[in-house]
């Protein structure tokens, strides 16, 4: 298969593509092929973004289309950054981000490490573990409210069975102290497989010869783990954290269905708060400024992080 | 088998296997519970302690699909023989009417919007990916990064202007509008992934074809497309799964006609709260295609979900 006639014919030709071909010129084809994509992305992504930025400097309200759009300068931004409730929301989001990433990285890496032991049937079990990640977060979130029911829910029953506590004595999504953990548990259940897959790819990319060399030098297994496995897998772990960070910063569907932001405002993440401002209170200008702040935050943090990631990769 | 220091011992394999299988079983529990609840009667679904053994019924499936979800009390009292079997079943359970189910309509919307947007994203994405891979496109790297960065935006952030824009264009709550929107979102994934797949096809194949007198177009669809077919197919499934599962934009930009299943399933309400067997039945039907695709996709999984940033 490797040495086909085409291969040999190809090698006989110079590596530069032939300039003159029949039909349209390459330049024309390139344009025809790229233009629709660029056009759609400009129309559906960039144009709305610019519009959001424009609206963020106004006091426009979607539900009052007859009111004149008034330019208010930076007032929306001042109000958001000076609002203690917004900062509480940010804290809730940070709490959610940190704990989901910690749990997912620890469990995901452990699973990948175990699967990499190449026991029989590991591919089958890997596929099973991956299922939750592919499902609809909204549908899954809704069903977890059933699992979390104090009297009848499976989660409470199992926790009660294992710890001996009364299953009806606590409500994961109804209590202020438990609700943040309820969303961390479901998010971890859903997205640990993602971190696991990335770690697995990382572990499989480490050449065996490094371990063999370490073995010759009589390095202990523990030593090998810390001086070979961890540094080699670090870029992969960091990439997993980046992806999970961006996704969870945008987190909306799962949490809306699971807790709706409650009880109180304990699980109101920034996306949920933004949705309330934009589509319940209809403060379009204000929520546009909110959206811009969020986007700049994600973009800024991600850029700094990617720089750090590239440094680790180069080592 | 040759001796290798990196080969794990049999004992290590056993320990690893048991731990992983244990985790997999725990992780499967909520999913199995969804499927099981779909086959429970409404009393069994809320029994305490939770019932593992139960008498299976299709009540939930009937409730989620039939237009006349349930019969009212007075209708249930008078004996009738002219009812179809599914309404007989509902009647025997003595349920009351709560209005028509629109599940099949919403499911059908998911199919139209999912497949429609996937089709356009793949057609446009393949063309653009080919151009990015084979031609000197000005500002290529910047354009590719720009395409990727569109994924960093929270969907709610663009929902406001898209809402305004769609309202002006008459696209609010229409299939066309949602297909356009999901096409745009899936395009970035499609371009990045397919670009990676085409980059891996040696350029020499096309050169040989061009020398044989093919035009550029012919070389593209007779040589490159067949080579990239499996990659394009798996990209298509990823786009479909995304459009299938999307919730935030669907819930904000649709209200009736074009609403997909994810915003609808949580709203299936019975008498006194959610009708869990019906919700579970609806969810099961909705989740099964994705689970099948996951099995088909397992080789390309990592590449698809990470935009090709990690290659397995």
């Amino acid at each position: 298969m490797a040495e086909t006639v085409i291969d040999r014919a190809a090698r006989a030709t110079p590596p530069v593509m032939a300039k003159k071909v029949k039909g349209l010129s390459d330049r024309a084809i390139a344009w025809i092929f790229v233009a629709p994509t660029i056009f759609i992305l400009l129309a559906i992504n960039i144009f709305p973004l610019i519009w959001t930025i424009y609206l963020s400097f106004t006091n426009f309200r979607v539900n009052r289309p007859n009111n004149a759009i008034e330019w208010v300068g930076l007032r929306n931004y001042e109000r958001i950054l000076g609002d203690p409730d917004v900062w509480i929301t940010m804290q809730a989001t940070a709490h959610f981000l940190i704990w989901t990433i910690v749990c997912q990285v620890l469990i995901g890496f452990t699973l990948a490490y175990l699967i990499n032991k190449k026991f029989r049937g590991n591919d089958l079990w890997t596929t099973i573990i991956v299922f939750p990640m592919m499902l609809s977060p909204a549908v899954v979130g809704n069903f977890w409210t059933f699992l979390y029911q104090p009297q009848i829910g499976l989660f409470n029953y199992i926790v009660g069975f294992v710890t001996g506590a009364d299953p009806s004595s606590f409500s994961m999504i109804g209590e202020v102290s438990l609700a943040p953990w309820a969303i961390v548990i479901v998010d971890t259940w859903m997205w640990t497989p993602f971190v696991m897959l990335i770690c697995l790819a990382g572990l499989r990319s480490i050449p065996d010869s490094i371990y063999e060399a370490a073995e010759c030098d009589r390095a202990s297994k523990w030593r090998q783990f810390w001086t070979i496995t961890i540094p080699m897998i670090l870029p992969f772990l960091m990439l997993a954290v980046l992806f999970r960070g961006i996704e969870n910063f945008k987190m909306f569907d799962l949490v809306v269905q699971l807790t709706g932001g409650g009880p109180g405002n304990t699980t109101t993440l920034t996306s949920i708060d933004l949705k309330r401002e934009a589509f319940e209170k209809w403060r379009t200008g204000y929520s546009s400024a909110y959206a811009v702040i969020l986007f700049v935050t994600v973009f800024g943090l991600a850029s700094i992080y990617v720089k750090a990631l590239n440094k680790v990769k180069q080592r | 088998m040759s001796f290798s220091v990196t080969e794990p011992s049999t004992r290590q394999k056993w320990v690893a296997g048991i731990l992983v299988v244990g985790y997999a079983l725990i992780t499967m529990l909520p999913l199995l519970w969804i499927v099981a609840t779909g086959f429970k009667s409404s009393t069994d679904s809320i029994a305490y302690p939770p019932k593992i053994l139960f008498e299976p019924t299709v009540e939930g499936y009937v409730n989620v699909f039939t237009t006349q979800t349930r019969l009212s009390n007075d209708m249930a009292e008078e004996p009738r023989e002219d009812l179809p079997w599914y309404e007989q079943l509902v009647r025997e359970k003595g349920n009351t009417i709560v209005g028509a189910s629109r599940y099949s309509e919403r499911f059908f919307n998911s199919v139209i919007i999912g497949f429609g947007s996937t089709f356009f994203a793949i057609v446009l994405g393949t063309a653009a990916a080919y151009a990015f891979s084979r031609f000197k496109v000005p500002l290529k790297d910047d354009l590719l990064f720009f395409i990727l960065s569109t994924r960093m935006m929270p969907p709610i952030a663009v929902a406001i202007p898209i809402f305004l824009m769609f309202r002006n264009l008459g696209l609010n709550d229409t299939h066309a509008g949602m297909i356009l929107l999901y096409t745009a979102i899936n395009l970035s994934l499609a371009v990045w992934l397919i670009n990676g797949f085409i980059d891996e096809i040696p350029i020499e194949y096309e050169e040989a074809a061009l020398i044989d007198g093919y035009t550029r177009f012919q070389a593209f669809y007779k040589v490159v497309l067949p080579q990239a077919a499996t990659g394009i197919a798996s990209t298509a499934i990823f786009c479909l799964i995304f459009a299938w599962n999307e919730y935030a934009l669907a819930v904000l930009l649709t209200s009736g006609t074009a609403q997909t299943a994810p915003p609808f399933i949580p709203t299936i309400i019975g008498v006194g709260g959610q009708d869990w067997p019906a919700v579970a039945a609806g969810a099961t039907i909705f989740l099964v295609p994705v689970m099948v695709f996951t099995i088909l996709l397992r080789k390309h999984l990592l590449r698809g979900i990470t935009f090709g940033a990690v290659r397995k």
Side-chain angles (χ1 to χ4, degrees):
Chain A
M1 164 79 200
E3 275 288 303
T4 60
V5 183
I6 296 179
D7 277 334
R8 259 173 273 143
R11 221 167 298 128
T13 58
V16 185
M17 271 232 173
K19 280 269 159 63
K20 278 279 173 190
V21 281
K22 282 185 285 179
L24 291 163
S25 72
D26 280 5
R27 179 174 278 266
I29 293 179
W31 267 110
I32 294 170
F33 277 14
V34 176
T37 295
I38 300 299
F39 176 75
I40 288 190
L41 290 176
L42 282 176
I44 305 289
N45 281 307
I46 298 310
F47 178 62
L49 180 66
I50 294 169
W51 200 342
T52 304
I53 294 171
Y54 161 70
L55 287 176
S56 72
F57 296 109
T58 69
N59 65 354
F60 179 63
R61 295 172 79 101
V62 175
N63 60 341
R64 290 187 203 145
N66 296 328
N67 285 12
I69 297 180
E70 210 176 294
W71 188 265
V72 296
L74 287 171
R75 206 195 302 158
N76 285 328
Y77 290 89
E78 283 165 18
R79 269 166 59 194
I80 292 165
L81 296 176
D83 185 345
D85 287 346
V86 170
W87 289 103
I88 291 172
T89 305
M90 294 274 190
Q91 268 177 25
T93 310
H95 174 274
F96 174 68
L97 272 176
I98 291 167
W99 280 107
T100 51
I101 287 174
V102 167
C103 295
Q104 287 165 29
V105 165
L106 286 180
I107 303 174
F109 176 74
T110 310
L111 282 172
Y113 190 77
L114 293 172
I115 288 171
N116 205 34
K117 295 284 178 200
K118 304 182 186 93
F119 58 89
R120 263 174 68 182
N122 59 1
D123 277 350
L124 169 77
W125 296 105
T126 313
T127 310
I128 289 178
I129 289 175
V130 163
F131 279 147
M133 173 176 92
M134 307 299 284
L135 307 176
S136 167
V139 174
V140 162
N142 178 243
F143 199 81
W144 269 85
T145 62
F146 180 54
L147 299 176
Y148 277 146
Q149 299 281 320
Q151 269 288 349
I152 54 174
L154 185 66
F155 182 87
N156 280 40
Y157 183 73
I158 290 174
V159 170
F161 190 80
V162 172
T163 64
D166 178 8
S168 56
S169 66
F170 62 101
S171 166
M172 288 300 287
I173 52 176
E175 280 166 39
V176 170
S177 57
L178 293 176
W181 299 106
I183 60 174
V184 169
I185 290 172
V186 182
D187 194 76
T188 302
W189 173 75
M190 252 193 122
W191 292 105
T192 297
F194 176 81
V195 181
M196 178 195 84
L197 282 179
I198 293 188
C199 290
L200 201 52
L203 288 171
R204 287 188 176 157
S205 74
I206 305 175
D208 282 355
S209 55
I210 301 186
Y211 290 107
E212 278 156 16
E215 198 74 21
C216 287
D217 292 343
R218 308 235 169 135
S220 68
K221 288 282 176 208
W222 188 243
R223 183 78 193 274
Q224 287 177 29
F225 178 79
W226 284 106
T227 54
I228 301 172
T229 312
I230 292 294
M232 295 284 276
I233 205 170
L234 195 61
F236 289 88
L237 276 179
M238 286 183 74
L239 200 65
V241 170
L242 175 72
F243 275 107
R244 287 312 310 144
I246 291 178
E247 285 300 313
N248 272 355
F249 200 84
K250 301 194 299 186
M251 174 55 67
F252 179 73
D253 30 16
L254 183 77
V255 179
V256 157
Q257 277 306 324
L258 196 59
T259 63
N265 279 334
T266 40
T267 58
T268 304
L269 306 182
T270 46
S271 280
I272 296 172
D273 198 24
L274 177 57
K275 189 243 170 185
R276 283 184 191 157
E277 294 293 341
F279 289 90
E280 283 165 29
K281 298 180 189 165
W282 298 103
R283 297 160 76 185
T284 314
Y286 180 87
S287 53
S288 296
Y290 205 158
V292 172
I293 290 176
L294 290 190
F295 182 58
V296 169
T297 311
V298 185
F299 203 79
L301 288 177
S303 305
I304 296 168
Y305 187 88
V306 168
K307 275 204 182 122
L309 177 64
N310 285 336
K311 256 186 203 157
V312 172
K313 265 188 185 166
Q314 278 163 10
R315 261 204 332 226
Chain B
M1 205 170 77
S2 64
F3 175 77
S4 157
V5 290
T6 52
E7 182 67 23
S9 68
T10 319
R11 191 168 140 262
Q12 279 181 324
K13 285 188 182 191
W14 269 100
V15 173
I18 288 167
L19 288 172
V20 170
V21 171
Y23 179 86
L25 293 179
I26 293 171
T27 222
M28 279 298 280
L29 214 52
L31 290 176
L32 292 175
W33 204 249
I34 295 184
V35 178
T37 306
F39 290 103
K40 284 181 182 177
S41 67
S42 24
T43 32
D44 278 353
S45 74
I46 53 170
Y48 178 84
K51 272 199 177 175
I52 293 169
L53 295 174
F54 56 92
E55 208 181 308
T57 164
V58 289
E59 202 187 321
Y61 284 84
V62 170
N63 283 346
V64 79
F65 267 120
T66 48
T67 41
Q68 192 178 20
T69 315
R70 287 146 172 228
L71 299 181
S72 64
N73 278 330
D74 45 320
M75 280 173 83
E77 273 162 25
E78 54 185 82
R80 287 173 64 177
E81 296 301 320
D82 56 324
L83 296 172
W85 66 271
Y86 48 84
E87 295 198 351
Q88 294 278 8
L89 182 91
V90 173
R91 210 192 62 165
E92 278 163 23
K93 303 287 177 184
N95 288 321
T96 48
I97 198 159
V98 285
S101 162
R102 302 181 71 184
Y103 181 73
S104 47
E105 195 186 311
R106 300 301 152 88
F107 190 85
F108 196 55
N109 282 344
S110 279
V111 173
I112 297 174
I113 293 168
F115 280 90
S117 62
T118 302
F119 174 78
F120 289 117
I122 291 299
V123 170
L124 299 176
T126 306
Y130 178 73
F132 277 126
S133 175
R134 294 297 194 249
F135 300 121
K136 274 187 185 156
V137 178
L139 299 172
K140 177 184 160 180
D141 290 340
D142 295 319
L143 277 177
L144 278 175
F145 182 74
F146 149 68
I147 290 172
L148 184 64
S149 71
T150 55
R151 276 258 168 148
M152 285 193 201
M153 248 177 283
I156 326 281
V158 283
I160 307 161
I162 286 177
F163 177 76
L164 292 169
M165 194 163 88
F166 275 19
R167 198 170 62 179
N168 287 342
L169 296 170
L171 284 172
N172 257 357
D173 201 15
T174 61
H175 292 92
M178 293 312 281
I179 289 175
L180 181 68
L181 188 57
Y182 289 169
T183 301
I185 295 172
N186 275 334
L187 251 179
S188 44
L189 177 70
V191 171
W192 268 78
L193 275 179
I194 299 174
N195 186 51
F197 286 117
I198 293 181
D199 275 348
E200 276 170 19
I201 303 169
I203 205 161
E204 284 82 10
Y205 289 144
E206 284 157 88
E207 285 170 1
L210 291 175
I211 286 165
D212 285 350
Y214 280 23
T215 65
R216 186 61 94 158
F217 266 120
Q218 284 171 328
F220 169 61
Y221 71 76
K222 286 190 181 164
V223 179
V224 178
L225 275 190
Q227 296 269 343
T230 41
I232 293 174
S234 56
T235 308
I237 298 182
F238 278 114
C239 292
L240 185 65
I241 290 179
F242 172 80
W244 193 252
N245 288 341
E246 208 285 331
Y247 171 81
L249 292 168
V251 82
L252 295 176
L253 298 174
T254 63
S255 47
T257 343
Q259 199 173 68
T260 50
F264 177 72
I265 291 172
T267 65
I268 301 171
I269 304 287
V271 183
Q274 274 188 301
D275 180 356
W276 288 111
V279 171
T284 306
I285 296 166
F286 188 72
L287 301 179
V288 163
V290 175
M291 292 174 76
V292 173
F293 287 145
T294 309
I295 295 170
L296 295 176
L297 272 182
R298 54 190 193 281
K299 284 214 175 86
H300 296 291
L301 210 53
L302 194 54
R303 208 168 167 171
I305 51 178
T306 59
F307 270 82
V310 179
R311 289 182 185 182
K312 210 171 180 178

